[in-house]
Amino acid sequence: MIAKIDVPHFGLFKNYAWDTVISNETFKKINIIYGRNYSGKTTLSRMFKCIEDAIMHKDYLACQFKVTLTGGQIVTHSSLQDFAQHHKIRVYNTDFVRENLGWLHREDGTIKPFTILGAANIEMEKQLDEIVEKLGAVEYNKGLIHEVAEEEATLADFRKKNNGKANDMEDKLKKRAADHIKITDTLFIVTATKKTYTITDIKAEIAAIGDIPDTHLLDTEGTDILLKLLKEAAMDDINPLPTNKPKFAEYTSDCEKILRQKITPSKPITELINDSLLQEWVRQGIDKHRDKRTTCGFCGNNLGSDLWDRLDQHFSKESEELRNKIKRKIDELEIAKKELNNFLTLKRELFYGTLHGDFDSASKQWEAASSVYMENIERLITELKAREKDIFKERSLPELTDASESLVNAIKAFNDALTDHNRKTSTLSKDQEIARKKLRLAHIAQFIIDIDYKNVMAAVETEDNKLNLMGGAVKSKREEITRLQDEKRKLEAQAKDESKGAELVNQHLTHYFGHNELKLVAVGEQPNIKFSIHRDGAPANNLSEGECSLISFCYFMAKIEDELKDETESDKLVIYIDDPISSLDSNHIFFMFSLIENVIAKPKKYGQLFISTHNMEFLKYVKKLTGMKNSKNVGHFMIERRSQSNSILMLAPSYMKNYITEFNYLFDQIYQCSVGDRELISNNYQYSFGNNMRKFLESYTFYRYPTHNMSFEQRLLKYFENDGVTYTLVSRVINEYSHMEDQFDRGMQPIDMDEITRVSSAVIEKIRTADPDQFEALMDSVNQVA
């Protein structure tokens, strides 16, 4: 491709050095060149035309220039033939029109014949007829085109019905997400990271539920537990219970020893030995009579002098010590009973509701274990009391159950619940989030079961697969149609028939410009065919300049269309189009763009494209060409005439690249002033601010109040009617700094930068508050965030 040009001398270009004017840039795949009339656009196109013709233009025989290609090769005015080794170039400009369209300059209105397609051939014509037969047409109810039209209609109808089922399901999900889940606090609450619940969320959770929604359903008890958790607030921590094992084994061992301890009186009293009840009655009587009475408190008889000696010999010191040991052990066991009764002080209400079940389970364990423990302690006490009453008779413990381990396990169960309780205080928020999700998934699972979501969507998918198969068949036929049409075009490209060349020009005139009345007509017989231009079936004279432009450009496009279709050579083709819209109205300008877009830009079968223009409306359309969005492939340039005899090619200013209309450009200028620093304003905006502000407000207020019954000052006053300060500031700036005839001294010094910032900020703020939608769109148009 062409990368740079250097022009020592060529028409208006003198001593032009690319690297001096344009640094670090080259021509791109697409190059847009703007220049006013008489700036040098045609001169530049003639330089490229010299390369196409491999000969210098007759008016520029002594001129010099150098073209640098992307591979580093150099082509100069003296080596024009070298360009053909790398590329081929086709130039549309006034010289092309003059050389190829003689009818513009002939009184008889004829045009020299041109050949676009090859010579007629019987075999080719036969092949063309077969292709036409296969293709058919809708209006003739036959051929592939007719079949595809009918099948596509059928396919569209089936797809509409199937989409209706999918859309109905989509509506149900959307309604469920927005009208139920989003507003139900047990299913969803707003968080810092999740502000709302949408159809996207419910779809994601349906995917997470998977193919078996039943597994996510909850029974009533499970639902109640989760709902209780959601209602809970943070509670105090509970201290754990001590897990010391009870001393039942020790108690049992001690009691066994006590009960088995053998006591023998020194001189036993037989009656007492044989009657334990009598013996206990006598032992108690000793305490009530010794040193207190001389007669029996029961019968009144005198107590004999030897009675106390006899009783002392029976109730020995050893028996009394055993009796005291029994009493102490009984007291110890009673204390153990009391401690056990007072050990558990936990209350159910101290626990989180979700742990009440764990508390109840631990309580049942405790009650069962403590009951057994108490019962066996009581049996120990009973046995001790029995030995105490019959102190001389040894006893054995019955078989007892040690419930100590069960008590410890119950305590551990309480402590496990305590641990969960204390942990839950720190994880309550997360637990509630998990609970809410479980409830939501259960709700969604039940919902998709109710609406038979799985089966409906499976049916939709199955139908989609069928439709895709049908679509594939239609696509194959469509591709066959495209193949046949391409083959037809290739055959037509080989058919040497000048009249078909005229038909192609006429197609462009009709398809892109709607000119059914203008046609090229072949006159005469081969090889002496000429073309004449007809309007409404009769030879046309006195064509307008615009009509000449249309026909000329259609002719150029017809000339290069074969080369664009040659895929082996298309990437070597350089196309240069110089100002093709002379004297065209707005509609024709757009259609000219459409022709370039559809024939050249959209197929992308070219190596490099140059388009030059003086027309801002056409420039606006050109920016929409296919390929323009990739900035790496696009170059924007401007030709500027610096003097009567000198023009330069330079990079286009940013506003020409970035803005479709001057209105957007002016808004950006004012916005930049409202946010820019002093250096930015001083370097870029200070001198042009007053004029830019006036032009912008003239356009903006007229859009807002589109009536000629109001002057600009009246529109401005109405727009700022509630802000007199801003109106006064703005009015002063746009009147004193955009018109100098009555304020010549203002031109001696620029507007103060602080005033620029103040006025621009006031205008931007007014637009933002008065027209927020338009302000947002304007900000977006200049790549700013509103």
Side-chain angles (χ1 to χ4, degrees):
M1 296 194 298
I2 297 173
K4 302 178 182 179
I5 59 171
D6 294 275
V7 192
H9 173 54
F10 194 100
L12 291 173
F13 290 86
K14 294 179 176 64
N15 299 318
Y16 177 81
W18 179 280
D19 290 336
T20 300
V21 180
I22 303 173
S23 60
N24 302 321
E25 286 285 350
T26 62
F27 282 131
K28 308 294 186 182
K29 184 177 178 68
I30 301 175
N31 301 280
I32 310 303
I33 304 172
Y34 175 80
R36 295 187 175 91
N37 286 329
Y38 311 107
S39 62
K41 297 190 304 301
T42 300
T43 300
L44 184 62
S45 73
R46 282 175 173 162
M47 191 183 306
F48 284 80
K49 191 72 169 68
C50 291
I51 302 173
E52 177 183 6
D53 297 336
I55 187 173
M56 292 296 289
H57 190 280
K58 63 182 179 62
D59 296 333
Y60 302 92
L61 294 176
C63 293
Q64 301 175 353
F65 65 90
K66 179 179 73 172
V67 174
T68 303
L69 306 183
T70 51
Q73 302 90 345
I74 303 295
V75 177
T76 72
H77 57 281
S78 60
S79 60
L80 297 175
Q81 295 81 2
D82 293 346
F83 187 83
Q85 298 177 15
H86 310 284
H87 303 283
K88 54 185 176 182
I89 187 168
R90 297 293 179 261
V91 178
Y92 174 84
N93 62 6
T94 55
D95 292 336
F96 171 88
V97 177
R98 186 179 295 107
E99 293 170 8
N100 292 279
L101 301 171
W103 58 271
L104 292 173
H105 309 286
R106 295 174 184 165
E107 292 181 359
D108 63 358
T110 59
I111 177 174
K112 67 182 180 182
F114 58 93
T115 300
I116 303 172
L117 310 172
N121 182 294
I122 294 176
E123 183 60 33
M124 290 183 184
E125 290 294 337
K126 182 180 177 181
Q127 293 177 21
L128 282 169
D129 290 342
E130 290 176 355
I131 290 174
V132 170
E133 182 69 21
K134 286 182 181 178
L135 289 173
V138 174
E139 55 268 29
Y140 298 135
N141 295 326
K142 68 175 186 177
L144 284 174
I145 294 176
H146 168 68
E147 292 175 14
V148 167
E150 286 202 329
E151 289 173 7
E152 285 182 339
T154 301
L155 184 62
D157 183 55
F158 288 163
R159 196 172 292 282
K160 182 179 179 181
K161 291 178 181 177
N162 199 47
N163 288 343
K165 296 177 183 177
N167 292 337
D168 179 60
M169 194 60 66
E170 186 94 351
D171 290 340
K172 288 180 179 178
L173 295 182
K174 188 181 297 182
K175 192 174 190 319
R176 178 61 52 157
D179 297 348
H180 190 85
I181 296 177
K182 186 174 75 172
I183 60 176
T184 304
D185 59 5
T186 58
L187 302 179
F188 173 79
I189 59 170
V190 174
T191 65
T193 56
K194 185 67 178 168
K195 300 297 184 184
T196 188
Y197 191 88
T198 66
I199 187 173
T200 303
D201 299 308
I202 196 173
K203 282 184 175 181
E205 297 199 315
I206 288 174
I209 288 171
D211 295 332
I212 311 177
D214 299 44
T215 59
H216 290 271
L217 297 178
L218 297 170
D219 56 21
T220 302
E221 182 180 358
T223 301
D224 289 343
I225 289 173
L226 294 177
L227 290 174
K228 286 179 181 178
L229 174 58
L230 293 180
K231 293 178 181 179
E232 288 177 342
M235 301 179 74
D236 293 335
D237 285 353
I238 304 174
N239 293 326
L241 298 174
T243 56
N244 298 329
K245 188 175 181 179
K247 300 178 180 180
F248 187 80
E250 181 183 330
Y251 295 156
T252 303
S253 176
D254 291 346
C255 290
E256 184 71 27
K257 290 177 182 179
I258 291 172
L259 293 176
R260 288 183 176 277
Q261 185 173 339
K262 187 173 183 179
I263 301 296
T264 303
S266 55
K267 288 186 178 182
I269 301 173
T270 303
E271 293 87 344
L272 298 184
I273 293 296
N274 294 329
D275 190 342
S276 60
L277 181 61
L278 178 61
Q279 182 176 251
E280 179 63 17
W281 179 79
V282 171
R283 189 189 65 78
Q284 292 178 6
I286 292 173
D287 292 336
K288 296 183 181 297
H289 289 74
R290 189 190 293 269
D291 300 327
K292 295 177 183 178
R293 298 177 63 94
T294 58
T295 61
C296 177
F298 175 71
C299 63
N301 293 326
N302 290 326
L303 299 175
S305 57
D306 62 341
L307 177 64
W308 299 117
D309 291 336
R310 289 175 59 202
L311 290 176
D312 286 341
Q313 290 175 353
H314 180 82
F315 294 105
S316 64
K317 181 180 180 181
E318 184 181 11
S319 67
E320 289 306 308
E321 287 178 351
L322 177 59
R323 186 172 283 108
N324 290 333
K325 186 184 293 186
I326 290 172
K327 289 181 179 179
R328 288 195 298 273
K329 183 56 66 177
I330 289 174
D331 290 342
E332 184 179 354
L333 292 175
E334 290 292 347
I335 292 173
K337 285 171 55 180
K338 185 176 181 181
E339 287 177 347
L340 184 63
N341 281 327
N342 297 332
F343 178 80
L344 189 63
T345 59
L346 294 176
K347 302 296 182 182
R348 191 170 187 264
E349 57 269 19
L350 297 177
F351 288 78
Y352 287 106
T354 53
L355 296 174
H356 284 175
D358 293 346
F359 178 87
D360 293 342
S361 176
S363 293
K364 289 179 181 178
Q365 291 183 53
W366 174 262
E367 288 173 2
S370 62
S371 176
V372 172
Y373 192 88
M374 283 290 199
E375 180 181 340
N376 284 282
I377 289 289
E378 194 60 48
R379 293 184 70 179
L380 289 176
I381 293 173
T382 299
E383 290 297 324
L384 289 173
K385 287 182 176 179
R387 177 63 192 270
E388 182 185 14
K389 289 180 180 179
D390 193 0
I391 198 70
F392 297 107
K393 188 176 182 179
E394 298 174 29
R395 300 180 66 86
S396 296
L397 282 176
E399 185 175 348
L400 300 175
T401 301
D402 188 352
S404 300
E405 197 65 34
S406 297
L407 287 174
V408 170
N409 290 335
I411 293 171
K412 287 180 179 178
F414 279 118
N415 282 340
D416 288 343
L418 287 171
T419 301
D420 290 342
H421 170 87
N422 295 340
R423 186 188 301 117
K424 187 171 287 292
T425 299
S426 62
T427 63
L428 181 61
S429 177
K430 185 67 177 177
D431 292 341
Q432 288 179 334
E433 181 182 341
I434 294 171
R436 187 172 282 104
K437 184 172 182 179
K438 287 182 178 179
L439 288 167
R440 186 168 66 248
L441 291 178
H443 175 84
I444 294 172
Q446 185 61 57
F447 176 67
I448 61 178
I449 291 172
D450 293 343
I451 64 175
D452 200 19
Y453 178 83
K454 178 183 176 182
N455 292 330
V456 172
M457 294 310 294
V460 169
E461 184 178 0
T462 300
E463 193 66 22
D464 265 341
N465 292 334
K466 292 180 182 177
L467 292 172
N468 288 336
L469 290 175
M470 293 173 62
V474 173
K475 182 181 178 183
S476 297
K477 288 187 177 181
R478 177 64 69 187
E479 289 172 349
E480 176 65 8
I481 290 172
T482 300
R483 187 191 67 77
L484 290 172
Q485 289 174 334
D486 287 343
E487 186 177 346
K488 178 173 176 286
R489 280 192 288 269
K490 288 177 182 178
L491 289 171
E492 289 172 344
Q494 299 172 29
K496 191 174 182 180
D497 184 348
E498 288 83 359
S499 63
K500 291 191 176 180
E503 291 175 10
L504 187 54
V505 173
N506 292 335
Q507 286 176 21
H508 289 334
L509 285 170
T510 301
H511 182 70
Y512 290 99
F513 302 103
H515 274 285
N516 294 310
E517 68 274 21
L518 285 179
K519 291 184 181 297
L520 284 179
V521 178
V523 179
E525 299 291 335
Q526 289 187 15
N528 298 312
I529 292 179
K530 293 182 179 180
F531 294 111
S532 65
I533 187 73
H534 283 222
R535 178 186 281 115
D536 296 331
N541 294 313
N542 303 317
L543 293 174
S544 69
E545 188 176 350
E547 289 173 329
C548 292
S549 296
L550 292 179
I551 297 171
S552 301
F553 194 70
C554 287
Y555 175 76
F556 172 77
M557 298 298 284
K559 286 275 287 183
I560 68 170
E561 199 155 348
D562 279 348
E563 294 175 302
L564 289 167
K565 292 174 182 175
D566 186 357
E567 296 185 358
T568 62
E569 295 291 323
S570 60
D571 62 338
K572 297 180 180 180
L573 182 61
V574 177
I575 303 171
Y576 194 109
I577 300 172
D578 176 40
D579 226 357
I581 46 80
S582 176
S583 302
L584 296 179
D585 61 24
S586 295
N587 286 337
H588 286 148
I589 289 173
F590 174 76
F591 291 130
M592 189 72 78
F593 155 77
S594 298
L595 182 57
I596 296 172
E597 164 67 2
N598 288 283
V599 177
I600 299 176
K602 194 171 184 179
K604 299 180 182 178
K605 295 180 179 179
Y606 61 90
Q608 196 170 19
L609 176 63
F610 293 81
I611 300 176
S612 66
T613 184
H614 74 285
N615 186 284
M616 292 296 290
E617 184 176 4
F618 183 64
L619 182 65
K620 175 184 70 175
Y621 289 129
V622 167
K623 291 180 180 179
K624 298 179 181 179
L625 284 173
T626 297
M628 291 294 290
K629 290 184 178 180
N630 187 349
S631 60
K632 294 181 180 179
N633 290 337
V634 181
H636 295 269
F637 301 89
M638 174 183 282
I639 295 179
E640 184 170 288
R641 191 165 182 172
R642 292 293 175 88
S643 66
Q644 283 295 104
S645 58
N646 189 23
S647 293
I648 67 166
L649 177 70
M650 59 184 184
L651 291 175
S654 59
Y655 70 86
M656 293 195 69
K657 294 188 293 184
N658 298 332
Y659 307 114
I660 294 177
T661 69
E662 186 180 15
F663 183 74
N664 300 86
Y665 164 71
L666 292 171
F667 175 80
D668 184 66
Q669 297 285 293
I670 296 169
Y671 176 77
Q672 294 300 333
C673 287
S674 72
V675 297
D677 57 27
R678 296 174 67 88
E679 182 178 355
L680 175 69
I681 295 172
S682 175
N683 291 340
N684 296 278
Y685 309 113
Q686 192 171 15
Y687 281 94
S688 61
F689 179 75
N691 196 44
N692 288 342
M693 178 65 81
R694 183 179 185 87
K695 289 171 69 178
F696 175 77
L697 288 176
E698 283 177 343
S699 299
Y700 182 73
T701 56
F702 186 76
Y703 293 156
R704 193 173 175 86
Y705 312 111
T707 173
H708 291 290
N709 293 325
M710 295 174 68
S711 67
F712 170 56
E713 288 295 329
Q714 289 172 323
R715 289 194 293 270
L716 196 65
L717 182 60
K718 182 174 179 61
Y719 187 64
F720 292 101
E721 61 184 352
N722 294 323
D723 190 353
V725 174
T726 300
Y727 168 78
T728 302
L729 289 172
V730 171
S731 181
R732 173 176 175 269
V733 167
I734 63 177
N735 285 307
E736 294 186 8
Y737 289 92
S738 64
H739 298 89
M740 296 298 178
E741 64 269 23
D742 296 325
Q743 302 283 341
F744 182 74
D745 60 313
R746 290 293 187 188
M748 304 300 291
Q749 59 182 7
I751 183 173
D752 179 74
M753 285 182 286
D754 290 335
E755 189 169 1
I756 289 176
T757 302
R758 188 163 57 253
V759 172
S760 59
S761 298
V763 171
I764 291 295
E765 180 60 19
K766 177 64 177 177
I767 298 172
R768 187 186 69 78
T769 55
D771 299 300
D773 290 341
Q774 187 171 23
F775 175 77
E776 184 176 346
L778 282 169
M779 291 289 283
D780 181 65
S781 76
V782 296
N783 298 320
Q784 299 291 339
V785 179

